[in-house]
Amino acid sequence: MDIEKAIEVVKFELNQSRFEHTLRVMETSEKLAERFHVPVEKAKLAAALHDYAKNWPADRLKTYIQNHLPSELLEYHVELWHGPVAADIMEKQFHVTDMEVLQAIRHHTTGRAKMTKVEMVVYLADYIEPGRSFPGLEEVRNASEKNLEYACWLTAKKTLQYLIGRNSIIHPDSIHAYNDLTGFVKAEGMLNE
Ligand code: DGI
Ligand code: FE
Ligand code: FE
């Protein structure tokens, strides 16, 4: 699928504010991909498609998961359903074949261990796109000027802190993302022990 087609597909599927968020995630992904030498077209395509299923009602997502995906996903919060559903639809119905693009869509909410750079770009862009505003975001935006892994580590850490603060159930992939990135940034000497 090319970018123009992807934009057309999600514009039809999303409400106006979610579509505008998607365009901002695309622009942010493009900048990050150029900055960190990540394949720009893959990052933009994954960004365009990442929230494809975000406006589906919960019962539609649930039915799709029951029919097509491991049902264990239903044990986790409804917010975690739209990425895996979008990736599955892009693969099966829209014949997107690029695994890096599909993984970036699938894991954009939680992250995971051993994310590819394309996954990291979309994960980070979704968090820092200019329409977002919450405490601590400037620190992540500043980090995103310099180091992709460090900025993703901050994203994973702040997401966990936010979720724990709200007594949320944490998906294992969110924890795996944090552990993996913590190991990486420590090995690079970016953290004080
Ligand atoms: O779809 P978006 O709003 O653009 O953003 P998203 O898909 O990254 O995240 C949706 C929400 O999911 C966000 O408020 C954080 C939340 N989230 C991320 N990881 C977890 C989680 N929620 C729970 N309960 N558990 C997680 O592990
Ligand atoms: Fe999302
Ligand atoms: Fe998003």
Side-chain angles (χ1 to χ4, degrees), residues 50-51 82-83 103-111 122-123 126:
H50 82 285
D51 273 343
H82 67 284
Q103 283 168 340
I105 299 168
R106 183 173 293 119
H107 303 121
H108 82 265
T109 303
T110 57
V122 177
Y123 176 73
D126 198 16

Side-chain angles (χ1 to χ4, degrees), residues 154-167 170:
L154 276 178
T155 300
K157 177 175 162 172
K158 286 172 186 290
T159 299
L160 285 188
Q161 287 172 328
Y162 164 80
L163 291 168
I164 289 168
R166 293 170 49 107
N167 305 318
I170 311 291

Side-chain angles (χ1 to χ4, degrees), residues 46-115:
L49 299 170
H50 82 285
D51 273 343
Y52 172 86
K54 181 78 178 185
N55 289 148
W56 282 24
D59 59 346
R60 188 175 175 198
L61 288 167
K62 186 176 179 182
T63 304
Y64 190 92
I65 292 163
Q66 284 167 338
N67 290 326
H68 299 275
L69 291 169
S71 56
E72 158 210 281
L73 186 56
L74 296 173
E75 293 166 24
Y76 295 94
H77 197 279
V78 62
E79 281 286 344
L80 307 189
W81 299 355
H82 67 284
V85 167
D88 201 68
I89 291 175
M90 287 306 140
E91 184 171 15
K92 290 176 181 159
Q93 294 177 29
F94 290 92
H95 310 293
V96 174
T97 52
D98 190 312
M99 284 309 292
E100 285 189 288
V101 171
L102 293 171
Q103 283 168 340
I105 299 168
R106 183 173 293 119
H107 303 121
H108 82 265
T109 303
T110 57
R112 62 164 181 150
K114 307 213 183 311
M115 282 192 275

